[in-house]
Amino acid sequence: MERKWFKELSVYQIWPRSFCDGNGDGVGDLKGVLGKLDYIKSLGVDAIWFSPVYVSPQNDYGYDIADYYNINPEYGTMEDFKAILDGAHARGMKIIMDLVVNHTSNEHEWFKKSAAKDPKYKDYYIWRPGRGKDGKKFPNNWMSTFPGNAWEWNEERGEYYLHLFAVEQPDLNHDNPAVREEVKKVMRFWLDMGVDGFREDVITYISKREGLPNGFPIPVMRGMEHYSPGPNIHKYLMEYRQVVKDYDAFQLGEAPMMTPENALKYITEGKDQQLDMMFQFQHMEADCFMTSYLRTKFNLRKLKKVYRNWQHKLYGVAWNTNYLENHDQPRVISRYGSEKFRVESGKALATLYTFMSGTHFVYQGQEIGMLDYPFKSWDDFVDVATFCAKDIMEKTHLFSAKKVFENCAYAARDNARTCMQWSADANAGFTTGKPWFHVNPNYKEINVEAAEKDPDSILHYYRAVIALRKQYKDTAIYGRYVEKLAGSKKIFAYDKVADDGSVLTVVINMTDKPVSAAAAKKCVPDGAKHLISNYKGFMADELKPYEAHVWYTAKKQ
Ligand code: NOJ
């Protein structure tokens, strides 16, 4: 498999609003980020992915863009951004931008002009007349991802527009060549400035097939088969690919509902390749049914099956991504680990995914083991998606009011968006002002400053596994995944095997109880070198709660 720089990256994701406030107004900003570049570099990561920093009314916290060419004034200026770009490059780190082009904000000039039927812009969005006698019936029965109907009436234009996300996020019409030229212009603008790649938001949704009522079985996602994927998706992505080809940059597409079989239609290396890699979601469903709002017990075998599938099916032909957290997912220790065994399970989870093949991602706060927020009332939430989920759960009448609240508290994206915990100072050192959102009350114990001082912290462990991933890259990054103890509901074990036969062996007790180490011991080759563990010493007869180990066996001479 061809080696490329972006395959080897560990990427740190910043959700700017909650990362660090540099000017005391309570909102995270670019000055705050600039002051933390050395910290980010100290993790051993080689890139930063910025969730959107562009001008936006923030109805979906930046994923509703009103101007692709300027920075949200709350976050700073283009000069601030350029200082970060230069500062990151000077430290050997790449910068990845979020490219959100399935939709814009309804405050974007394009949308305003489109609503006014300006000849240049009138077909920039997906407008349809209403149906029925009064012309006010929805054009079709598609549902939005933020549940509700996917159409919104626009009085000025006298038509409906499509929004697969919030009402304030009208979908762009990529069937219009002029829209595709706009997208290319945006891409070139940032690439010319020197950014190193794009994470492309719900990019697999950009092509839509006309469709009236249809039989998709899950009402919440009704209509999805018309755009996931749509008829021209590969054509449009290929056009965008040509832009990036002129630069030393890469493309990572976010791809909801993606399977490895379908992913290969986009990311198989070679002349038809449209994206370098994808964010898939299947490994985030080990504690739920399709969406984290429909919670189930954590199921290790379900998780193993997903890794087995993706690691095997892409091996040698396409490239994976590995993440456990982002701004859309609750904190992983609270989901797949144990808050009681926070440090042990945080390290176990770091071990679990860091040595899989694929580009590696760490979300802000994950490296210090931040936890979900203890939500007490509906007033505690701010995310549009949380309220949509509440609404739809209430409408089904399947859940008690208490259960609706519990489901939302468990699944809410708000969990990932609390302020970054830098120190035990007021507001966790995130701001000197009034923070725009909650600071988790556990900040006195869980914060960067405390973690720096504690040699056994999750933070130091992340630094260590990130360094090992690079040091042993022939196995960790490029090796073949060989699952061990596949039937075990308790132990996650695998080998990564390099072309020359060297082996990296990972063994983890993924439960909060001790388990016999007899089976795990058989996975470790004689003479293997012990690289790291979250407990002191080597493996004893029992694996303690969340005990994790990594060994390395060099090729036989
Ligand atoms: C995926 C983004 O990650 C999420 O935060 C956003 O709400 C939707 N796409 C819509 O842009």
Side-chain angles (χ1 to χ4, degrees):
M1 166 139 261
E2 196 186 341
R3 298 191 172 206
K4 291 199 173 132
W5 61 267
F6 53 74
K7 295 183 176 177
E8 298 179 13
L9 299 178
S10 276
V11 184
Y12 190 74
Q13 183 194 347
I14 291 183
W15 197 73
R17 208 171 182 79
S18 289
F19 184 66
C20 184
D21 175 16
N23 68 357
D25 68 354
V27 174
D29 54 32
L30 296 181
K31 281 219 163 56
V33 175
L34 192 62
K36 298 295 182 188
L37 285 182
D38 285 333
Y39 167 74
I40 298 169
K41 176 71 187 171
S42 82
L43 301 173
V45 301
D46 338 76
I48 296 172
W49 151 32
F50 275 105
S51 275
V53 291
Y54 317 96
V55 175
S56 158
Q58 304 284 314
N59 285 303
D60 188 18
Y61 294 110
Y63 285 90
D64 48 326
I65 297 173
D67 176 357
Y68 290 93
Y69 298 102
N70 280 297
I71 301 293
N72 176 20
E74 282 178 299
Y75 295 167
T77 62
M78 196 56 97
E79 278 57 52
D80 295 330
F81 180 78
K82 286 184 179 154
I84 290 178
L85 188 61
D86 291 346
H89 284 165
R91 290 167 176 81
M93 292 191 289
K94 310 276 185 188
I95 295 287
I96 316 303
M97 298 301 272
D98 222 303
L99 183 74
V100 188
V101 293
N102 175 67
H103 44 266
T104 67
S105 158
N106 59 349
E107 291 187 20
H108 198 292
E109 277 306 302
W110 300 341
F111 186 74
K112 290 185 194 159
K113 290 183 175 157
S114 196
K117 290 200 176 152
D118 177 309
K120 179 167 176 217
Y121 295 97
K122 73 181 181 20
D123 295 327
Y124 265 44
Y125 294 83
I126 302 174
W127 297 99
R128 294 291 177 271
R131 293 184 300 128
K133 278 205 189 90
D134 62 354
K136 286 279 176 82
K137 240 176 116 191
F138 294 132
N140 66 29
N141 66 350
W142 294 9
M143 300 284 282
S144 152
T145 302
F146 295 159
N149 200 281
W151 297 93
E152 183 72 9
W153 180 256
N154 180 276
E155 206 51 59
E156 183 181 5
R157 171 118 172 185
E159 281 187 304
Y160 284 100
Y161 65 84
L162 180 73
H163 63 92
L164 293 182
F165 290 88
V167 168
E168 297 85 359
Q169 292 168 296
D171 280 49
L172 279 167
N173 175 19
H174 288 250
D175 291 338
N176 179 351
V179 168
R180 302 206 295 280
E181 288 313 311
E182 296 278 12
V183 171
K184 292 177 205 169
K185 209 170 128 198
V186 170
M187 293 171 86
R188 281 193 205 100
F189 174 83
W190 291 98
L191 289 166
D192 285 339
M193 197 186 297
V195 310
D196 305 285
F198 296 113
R199 175 268 188 193
E200 303 182 359
D201 191 69
V202 289
I203 199 71
T204 46
Y205 287 7
I206 59 173
S207 163
K208 282 99 175 164
R209 181 188 298 112
E210 287 295 324
L212 275 169
N214 60 81
F216 197 71
I218 308 173
V220 185
M221 290 169 216
R222 206 164 50 211
M224 189 168 214
E225 73 279 26
H226 294 261
Y227 56 83
S228 181
N232 295 314
I233 183 66
H234 300 298
K235 173 172 180 278
Y236 299 162
L237 287 179
M238 204 49 143
E239 276 187 32
Y240 301 146
R241 182 81 174 161
Q242 302 318 309
V243 176
V244 177
K245 267 197 174 148
D246 294 338
Y247 301 80
D248 189 18
F250 74 101
Q251 290 168 287
L252 189 186
E254 189 202 24
M257 312 283 287
M258 190 50 68
T259 61
E261 291 74 14
N262 286 333
L264 289 173
K265 298 175 191 154
Y266 302 78
I267 57 173
T268 298
E269 296 185 5
K271 70 172 183 22
D272 295 329
Q273 183 175 12
Q274 303 130 58
L275 295 165
D276 293 291
M277 56 188 106
M278 274 180 162
F279 276 146
Q280 57 87 19
F281 290 73
Q282 293 186 321
H283 67 296
M284 298 316 302
E285 293 166 13
D287 64 345
C288 60
F289 177 68
M290 295 188 66
T291 145
S292 45
Y293 290 99
L294 299 177
R295 185 178 173 181
T296 57
K297 205 165 164 276
F298 172 68
N299 181 335
L300 182 63
R301 286 174 66 182
K302 199 171 165 194
L303 184 67
K304 287 179 172 186
K305 189 171 168 196
V306 175
Y307 278 116
R308 183 188 310 144
N309 216 5
W310 282 88
Q311 291 283 306
H312 284 172
K313 294 202 171 125
L314 269 52
Y315 181 70
V317 290
W319 198 242
N320 267 293
T321 58
N322 293 311
Y323 72 92
L324 287 177
E325 287 190 11
N326 60 37
H327 62 292
D328 293 335
Q329 302 287 341
R331 295 290 180 178
V332 73
I333 294 176
S334 302
R335 293 180 66 175
Y336 290 5
S338 153
E339 295 193 355
K340 182 171 161 216
F341 292 100
R342 184 182 71 87
V343 175
E344 295 82 353
S345 66
K347 293 177 182 176
L349 287 158
T351 315
L352 191 152
Y353 88 114
T354 298
F355 301 102
M356 299 276 177
S357 300
T359 301
H360 181 238
F361 293 81
V362 180
Y363 178 63
Q364 66 187 40
Q366 181 185 341
E367 79 278 18
I368 55 165
M370 279 176 62
L371 302 178
D372 280 355
Y373 186 77
F375 295 103
K376 295 273 180 311
S377 82
W378 289 111
D379 293 341
D380 283 341
F381 299 97
V382 293
D383 179 21
V384 53
T386 309
F387 292 102
C388 287
K390 169 180 186 277
D391 192 48
I392 201 130
M393 275 190 267
E394 285 172 351
K395 284 194 181 128
T396 65
H397 299 292
L398 290 173
F399 309 94
S400 66
K402 185 166 168 271
K403 192 73 190 150
V404 171
F405 185 83
E406 278 171 16
N407 285 353
C408 285
Y410 183 72
R413 309 193 301 182
D414 306 72
N415 280 303
R417 301 173 178 191
T418 59
C419 302
M420 177 73 184
Q421 294 163 212
W422 292 104
S423 70
D425 296 343
N427 307 320
F430 163 74
T431 178
T432 52
K434 184 176 175 315
W436 80 277
F437 195 40
H438 307 295
V439 174
N440 196 309
N442 64 24
Y443 75 94
K444 292 225 157 112
E445 185 200 339
I446 304 172
N447 63 68
V448 172
E449 207 173 276
E452 291 283 13
K453 287 187 197 135
D454 173 6
D456 291 328
S457 66
I458 298 178
L459 175 63
H460 288 302
Y461 194 87
Y462 262 97
R463 288 189 172 122
V465 289
I466 287 170
L468 286 171
R469 174 179 176 271
K470 287 214 168 56
Q471 188 182 345
Y472 292 93
K473 72 175 178 185
D474 293 352
T475 49
I477 301 180
Y478 291 110
R480 185 166 45 86
Y481 180 79
V482 181
E483 193 183 358
K484 298 288 180 74
L485 310 182
S488 173
K489 292 181 185 151
K490 297 176 178 171
I491 297 178
F492 200 130
Y494 61 89
D495 281 346
K496 292 297 300 297
V497 185
D499 286 346
D500 72 358
S502 304
V503 183
L504 195 106
T505 304
V506 175
V507 168
I508 309 165
N509 171 12
M510 278 298 290
T511 76
D512 58 4
K513 310 248 164 6
V515 300
S516 161
K521 283 197 165 159
K522 293 195 187 127
C523 300
V524 187
D526 287 342
K529 179 174 154 197
H530 191 249
L531 296 185
I532 194 166
S533 173
N534 52 354
Y535 280 83
K536 300 260 183 289
F538 300 104
M539 193 158 61
D541 290 341
E542 262 188 351
L543 286 167
K544 299 194 189 68
Y546 298 101
E547 183 168 337
H549 293 271
V550 183
W551 290 268
Y552 179 72
T553 316
K555 67 167 179 168
K556 300 245 171 356
Q557 295 301 327

